[in-house]
Amino acid sequence: MIDLLELSIEKELTGEESLLNRISDALYYTTFTNHSLLSGSIGSLLYASYLYKYQYEERWGDRLIDILETIITEINDVSTPHLLTAPLAYGASGLGMVMNILKNNETIEIEYDEYLSFFDELVCDGIVKLLGNKSTDYLYGSSGAVNYLCQRTHIDAVKICLEQTVDKIESLVEIRQKGITFPNAHLQVMHADNYEIDLSLSHGQCGVLLSLLKIYEKGIAQDKIKVLVEGGIEFLLSTMMPIDFEQNKYSYFPLKFDDSQPSDAIVNQGFYGNRLGWCYGDLNQVILLYRAGQLLNNHTWILLADEIGLSISQRLSQASTDMKDSHFCHGTSGLVQSFKSLYAITRLPIYQQTAQFWYAETLKHLEKELLYYNTNKAGELLEGFGATALVLIAALHKDSSQEWDAIFLLS
């Protein structure tokens, strides 16, 4: 039996809260066709918990119970097999991270430990299978599952699992002329003829390295991880090229890279796109360089992150960022939370100011988007209004829990 904790707080709405209420309506009336984190009911479970607790909307309390009861039933009767797999995007690690947030926020009373222990075993077994298939992808492979397990290192079996995971990743490393990379079979699933090295957080080098740093922070396999991170960043830096705002060349790093060709080859020059998003682009690499620099005590990386970070903070146009909507994955709300993460890491005011700029842009986009939007996609976490609602709640309710952005490797 699942019980809601009672909330009965009344307050007058501000203009931004009224806007959030419109988003809430769009989210509430979305019908899901799957149980997943990115586009289904698990993502809804996440933002429903925040809308209930911080916006005081009772309908979301009922929705929380409905979603949880349905998911638990389908886990118990194995009617939705993908819930018993490891990937963050649609499996037990994504559900586990959301349930861990529900537990910490004390929004709903449920026997969390029983389910989380079950997920631990599922995810550990699943990582073995994913790495056996060379799938290191953050959203769809082993790296996102690692992020979940790093919240569970008070369990001895989880620590052992993470140690073994590092050993397996180490065995899969691809040695390059400069540095190392990691295989990602998921990219071949997406595009059978894919041969480039992806450098992004969502699907590539950055996501793998940030996940390894999560393990490092827990004091596990630190010597091995240090070598892997140093080699991975060496390769990343080998792809770095000068920028030229006057020539509309804004990015230091390519979105992906053909290692059989030099950086200045035509094929690789085409990969230095202007995208600046949560999912891929220079912003990913700045977060990585700061995290790695601080944890591994490498001041050179931190100084480089400062230099690139200042540059990306000056990219405030659609042309220089490819920002066209409010959505989190590759839209303005993802930039808001990413720059807030940089501010939390560094306390440099420029990042706070840039986050505020993109927050204002997010509100402008929402005013237009809420007049006409794809009702089938509105409830999605990454490419709908789901994570964008969480960004607004964080801005409106300063006391709100920010744990959710750990799902996106931002904390």
PDB file of all heavy atoms in Angstrom, residues 3 45 82 99 120 137 150 154 157 160 164 166 171 191-192 286 294 328 331 389 408:
ATOM      1  N   ASP A   3       1.114   5.346   0.467  1.00  0.00           N
ATOM      2  CA  ASP A   3       0.404   6.470   1.072  1.00  0.00           C
ATOM      3  C   ASP A   3       1.122   7.773   0.753  1.00  0.00           C
ATOM      4  O   ASP A   3       2.354   7.853   0.767  1.00  0.00           O
ATOM      5  CB  ASP A   3       0.328   6.317   2.600  1.00  0.00           C
ATOM      6  CG  ASP A   3      -0.528   5.132   3.002  1.00  0.00           C
ATOM      7  OD1 ASP A   3      -1.574   4.928   2.372  1.00  0.00           O
ATOM      8  OD2 ASP A   3      -0.115   4.409   3.924  1.00  0.00           O
ATOM      9  N   LEU A  45       7.026  10.211 -13.321  1.00  0.00           N
ATOM     10  CA  LEU A  45       7.136   9.974 -11.880  1.00  0.00           C
ATOM     11  C   LEU A  45       8.061  11.007 -11.234  1.00  0.00           C
ATOM     12  O   LEU A  45       7.778  11.526 -10.147  1.00  0.00           O
ATOM     13  CB  LEU A  45       7.673   8.563 -11.643  1.00  0.00           C
ATOM     14  CG  LEU A  45       7.657   8.005 -10.222  1.00  0.00           C
ATOM     15  CD1 LEU A  45       6.232   7.849  -9.714  1.00  0.00           C
ATOM     16  CD2 LEU A  45       8.384   6.658 -10.186  1.00  0.00           C
ATOM     17  N   HIS A  82      11.574  -4.741 -20.156  1.00  0.00           N
ATOM     18  CA  HIS A  82      12.672  -3.771 -20.176  1.00  0.00           C
ATOM     19  C   HIS A  82      12.884  -3.100 -18.823  1.00  0.00           C
ATOM     20  O   HIS A  82      13.963  -2.567 -18.542  1.00  0.00           O
ATOM     21  CB  HIS A  82      12.466  -2.726 -21.286  1.00  0.00           C
ATOM     22  CG  HIS A  82      11.325  -1.777 -21.061  1.00  0.00           C
ATOM     23  ND1 HIS A  82      11.363  -0.768 -20.130  1.00  0.00           N
ATOM     24  CD2 HIS A  82      10.122  -1.674 -21.681  1.00  0.00           C
ATOM     25  CE1 HIS A  82      10.238  -0.076 -20.177  1.00  0.00           C
ATOM     26  NE2 HIS A  82       9.458  -0.609 -21.100  1.00  0.00           N
ATOM     27  N   MET A  99      13.370   6.642  -7.822  1.00  0.00           N
ATOM     28  CA  MET A  99      12.848   6.183  -6.534  1.00  0.00           C
ATOM     29  C   MET A  99      13.743   6.623  -5.378  1.00  0.00           C
ATOM     30  O   MET A  99      13.253   6.909  -4.281  1.00  0.00           O
ATOM     31  CB  MET A  99      12.682   4.663  -6.548  1.00  0.00           C
ATOM     32  CG  MET A  99      11.524   4.208  -7.435  1.00  0.00           C
ATOM     33  SD  MET A  99      11.186   2.431  -7.372  1.00  0.00           S
ATOM     34  CE  MET A  99      10.468   2.278  -5.731  1.00  0.00           C
ATOM     35  N   ASP A 120      19.549  -3.040  -7.530  1.00  0.00           N
ATOM     36  CA  ASP A 120      21.008  -3.176  -7.461  1.00  0.00           C
ATOM     37  C   ASP A 120      21.462  -4.432  -8.185  1.00  0.00           C
ATOM     38  O   ASP A 120      22.394  -4.408  -8.996  1.00  0.00           O
ATOM     39  CB  ASP A 120      21.483  -3.241  -6.004  1.00  0.00           C
ATOM     40  CG  ASP A 120      21.257  -1.954  -5.237  1.00  0.00           C
ATOM     41  OD1 ASP A 120      20.961  -0.926  -5.870  1.00  0.00           O
ATOM     42  OD2 ASP A 120      21.355  -1.998  -3.999  1.00  0.00           O
ATOM     43  N   ASP A 137      27.445   3.541 -23.677  1.00  0.00           N
ATOM     44  CA  ASP A 137      26.582   4.714 -23.820  1.00  0.00           C
ATOM     45  C   ASP A 137      26.028   5.178 -22.466  1.00  0.00           C
ATOM     46  O   ASP A 137      25.712   4.358 -21.606  1.00  0.00           O
ATOM     47  CB  ASP A 137      25.416   4.323 -24.730  1.00  0.00           C
ATOM     48  CG  ASP A 137      24.685   5.522 -25.303  1.00  0.00           C
ATOM     49  OD1 ASP A 137      23.791   6.046 -24.624  1.00  0.00           O
ATOM     50  OD2 ASP A 137      25.003   5.914 -26.426  1.00  0.00           O
ATOM     51  N   CYS A 150      26.399   4.387  -8.166  1.00  0.00           N
ATOM     52  CA  CYS A 150      27.214   5.271  -7.325  1.00  0.00           C
ATOM     53  C   CYS A 150      26.398   5.924  -6.210  1.00  0.00           C
ATOM     54  O   CYS A 150      26.967   6.486  -5.273  1.00  0.00           O
ATOM     55  CB  CYS A 150      27.901   6.329  -8.188  1.00  0.00           C
ATOM     56  SG  CYS A 150      29.282   5.672  -9.138  1.00  0.00           S
ATOM     57  N   HIS A 154      26.945   2.304  -0.274  1.00  0.00           N
ATOM     58  CA  HIS A 154      26.922   1.835   1.111  1.00  0.00           C
ATOM     59  C   HIS A 154      26.644   0.329   1.171  1.00  0.00           C
ATOM     60  O   HIS A 154      26.743  -0.272   2.249  1.00  0.00           O
ATOM     61  CB  HIS A 154      25.863   2.593   1.913  1.00  0.00           C
ATOM     62  CG  HIS A 154      24.476   2.476   1.357  1.00  0.00           C
ATOM     63  ND1 HIS A 154      24.078   3.131   0.211  1.00  0.00           N
ATOM     64  CD2 HIS A 154      23.387   1.775   1.779  1.00  0.00           C
ATOM     65  CE1 HIS A 154      22.816   2.840  -0.051  1.00  0.00           C
ATOM     66  NE2 HIS A 154      22.367   2.021   0.884  1.00  0.00           N
ATOM     67  N   ALA A 157      28.094  -5.212  -1.906  1.00  0.00           N
ATOM     68  CA  ALA A 157      27.988  -5.886  -3.206  1.00  0.00           C
ATOM     69  C   ALA A 157      28.051  -4.885  -4.355  1.00  0.00           C
ATOM     70  O   ALA A 157      28.577  -5.197  -5.435  1.00  0.00           O
ATOM     71  CB  ALA A 157      26.693  -6.695  -3.280  1.00  0.00           C
ATOM     72  N   ILE A 160      31.719  -3.894  -4.938  1.00  0.00           N
ATOM     73  CA  ILE A 160      32.403  -4.954  -5.674  1.00  0.00           C
ATOM     74  C   ILE A 160      32.024  -4.903  -7.152  1.00  0.00           C
ATOM     75  O   ILE A 160      32.874  -5.036  -8.042  1.00  0.00           O
ATOM     76  CB  ILE A 160      32.062  -6.337  -5.076  1.00  0.00           C
ATOM     77  CG1 ILE A 160      32.650  -6.451  -3.658  1.00  0.00           C
ATOM     78  CG2 ILE A 160      32.579  -7.466  -5.963  1.00  0.00           C
ATOM     79  CD1 ILE A 160      32.180  -7.669  -2.901  1.00  0.00           C
ATOM     80  N   GLN A 164      34.535  -4.283 -10.433  1.00  0.00           N
ATOM     81  CA  GLN A 164      34.561  -5.180 -11.585  1.00  0.00           C
ATOM     82  C   GLN A 164      34.205  -4.442 -12.875  1.00  0.00           C
ATOM     83  O   GLN A 164      34.746  -4.749 -13.949  1.00  0.00           O
ATOM     84  CB  GLN A 164      33.595  -6.349 -11.353  1.00  0.00           C
ATOM     85  CG  GLN A 164      34.018  -7.260 -10.201  1.00  0.00           C
ATOM     86  CD  GLN A 164      32.952  -8.283  -9.837  1.00  0.00           C
ATOM     87  OE1 GLN A 164      31.782  -8.147 -10.193  1.00  0.00           O
ATOM     88  NE2 GLN A 164      33.358  -9.316  -9.100  1.00  0.00           N
ATOM     89  N   VAL A 166      34.927  -1.298 -13.549  1.00  0.00           N
ATOM     90  CA  VAL A 166      36.128  -0.571 -13.964  1.00  0.00           C
ATOM     91  C   VAL A 166      37.105  -1.513 -14.665  1.00  0.00           C
ATOM     92  O   VAL A 166      37.694  -1.168 -15.704  1.00  0.00           O
ATOM     93  CB  VAL A 166      36.801   0.119 -12.759  1.00  0.00           C
ATOM     94  CG1 VAL A 166      38.138   0.734 -13.171  1.00  0.00           C
ATOM     95  CG2 VAL A 166      35.891   1.191 -12.177  1.00  0.00           C
ATOM     96  N   SER A 171      39.492  -3.166 -19.875  1.00  0.00           N
ATOM     97  CA  SER A 171      39.805  -4.189 -20.880  1.00  0.00           C
ATOM     98  C   SER A 171      39.264  -3.838 -22.262  1.00  0.00           C
ATOM     99  O   SER A 171      39.712  -4.402 -23.272  1.00  0.00           O
ATOM    100  CB  SER A 171      39.240  -5.543 -20.440  1.00  0.00           C
ATOM    101  OG  SER A 171      37.827  -5.594 -20.590  1.00  0.00           O
ATOM    102  N   HIS A 191      23.078   3.764 -36.000  1.00  0.00           N
ATOM    103  CA  HIS A 191      23.536   3.961 -37.375  1.00  0.00           C
ATOM    104  C   HIS A 191      24.530   2.855 -37.698  1.00  0.00           C
ATOM    105  O   HIS A 191      25.666   2.885 -37.231  1.00  0.00           O
ATOM    106  CB  HIS A 191      24.197   5.335 -37.549  1.00  0.00           C
ATOM    107  CG  HIS A 191      23.324   6.482 -37.163  1.00  0.00           C
ATOM    108  ND1 HIS A 191      22.271   6.902 -37.940  1.00  0.00           N
ATOM    109  CD2 HIS A 191      23.331   7.283 -36.064  1.00  0.00           C
ATOM    110  CE1 HIS A 191      21.673   7.935 -37.346  1.00  0.00           C
ATOM    111  NE2 HIS A 191      22.290   8.173 -36.210  1.00  0.00           N
ATOM    112  N   ALA A 192      24.114   1.921 -38.533  1.00  0.00           N
ATOM    113  CA  ALA A 192      24.934   0.731 -38.805  1.00  0.00           C
ATOM    114  C   ALA A 192      26.286   1.079 -39.400  1.00  0.00           C
ATOM    115  O   ALA A 192      27.270   0.365 -39.182  1.00  0.00           O
ATOM    116  CB  ALA A 192      24.173  -0.206 -39.736  1.00  0.00           C
ATOM    117  N   VAL A 286      33.629  21.220 -20.865  1.00  0.00           N
ATOM    118  CA  VAL A 286      33.982  22.129 -19.767  1.00  0.00           C
ATOM    119  C   VAL A 286      33.626  21.498 -18.421  1.00  0.00           C
ATOM    120  O   VAL A 286      34.420  21.532 -17.465  1.00  0.00           O
ATOM    121  CB  VAL A 286      33.282  23.493 -19.932  1.00  0.00           C
ATOM    122  CG1 VAL A 286      33.498  24.374 -18.700  1.00  0.00           C
ATOM    123  CG2 VAL A 286      33.808  24.208 -21.175  1.00  0.00           C
ATOM    124  N   GLN A 294      39.490  19.031 -10.687  1.00  0.00           N
ATOM    125  CA  GLN A 294      39.379  19.138  -9.235  1.00  0.00           C
ATOM    126  C   GLN A 294      39.643  17.804  -8.546  1.00  0.00           C
ATOM    127  O   GLN A 294      40.376  17.740  -7.552  1.00  0.00           O
ATOM    128  CB  GLN A 294      37.998  19.673  -8.865  1.00  0.00           C
ATOM    129  CG  GLN A 294      37.793  21.136  -9.255  1.00  0.00           C
ATOM    130  CD  GLN A 294      36.431  21.674  -8.852  1.00  0.00           C
ATOM    131  OE1 GLN A 294      35.583  20.949  -8.348  1.00  0.00           O
ATOM    132  NE2 GLN A 294      36.199  22.960  -9.087  1.00  0.00           N
ATOM    133  N   PHE A 328      15.037  20.313 -22.651  1.00  0.00           N
ATOM    134  CA  PHE A 328      16.245  20.116 -21.859  1.00  0.00           C
ATOM    135  C   PHE A 328      17.395  19.521 -22.660  1.00  0.00           C
ATOM    136  O   PHE A 328      18.543  19.925 -22.504  1.00  0.00           O
ATOM    137  CB  PHE A 328      15.941  19.200 -20.665  1.00  0.00           C
ATOM    138  CG  PHE A 328      17.007  19.219 -19.602  1.00  0.00           C
ATOM    139  CD1 PHE A 328      16.940  20.112 -18.549  1.00  0.00           C
ATOM    140  CD2 PHE A 328      18.081  18.346 -19.661  1.00  0.00           C
ATOM    141  CE1 PHE A 328      17.923  20.146 -17.566  1.00  0.00           C
ATOM    142  CE2 PHE A 328      19.075  18.361 -18.677  1.00  0.00           C
ATOM    143  CZ  PHE A 328      18.988  19.264 -17.630  1.00  0.00           C
ATOM    144  N   GLY A 331      18.018  22.146 -25.771  1.00  0.00           N
ATOM    145  CA  GLY A 331      17.336  23.433 -25.726  1.00  0.00           C
ATOM    146  C   GLY A 331      17.806  24.275 -24.560  1.00  0.00           C
ATOM    147  O   GLY A 331      18.749  23.930 -23.846  1.00  0.00           O
ATOM    148  N   ALA A 389      10.129  21.758 -16.621  1.00  0.00           N
ATOM    149  CA  ALA A 389       9.339  22.064 -15.419  1.00  0.00           C
ATOM    150  C   ALA A 389      10.212  21.995 -14.178  1.00  0.00           C
ATOM    151  O   ALA A 389      10.078  22.825 -13.258  1.00  0.00           O
ATOM    152  CB  ALA A 389       8.172  21.088 -15.300  1.00  0.00           C
ATOM    153  N   PHE A 408      21.270  13.667 -14.879  1.00  0.00           N
ATOM    154  CA  PHE A 408      21.858  14.197 -16.108  1.00  0.00           C
ATOM    155  C   PHE A 408      23.359  14.482 -15.951  1.00  0.00           C
ATOM    156  O   PHE A 408      23.942  15.199 -16.751  1.00  0.00           O
ATOM    157  CB  PHE A 408      21.126  15.476 -16.516  1.00  0.00           C
ATOM    158  CG  PHE A 408      19.647  15.260 -16.737  1.00  0.00           C
ATOM    159  CD1 PHE A 408      18.714  15.733 -15.811  1.00  0.00           C
ATOM    160  CD2 PHE A 408      19.203  14.582 -17.847  1.00  0.00           C
ATOM    161  CE1 PHE A 408      17.369  15.535 -16.008  1.00  0.00           C
ATOM    162  CE2 PHE A 408      17.830  14.371 -18.049  1.00  0.00           C
ATOM    163  CZ  PHE A 408      16.915  14.849 -17.126  1.00  0.00           C
TER     164      PHE A 408
END
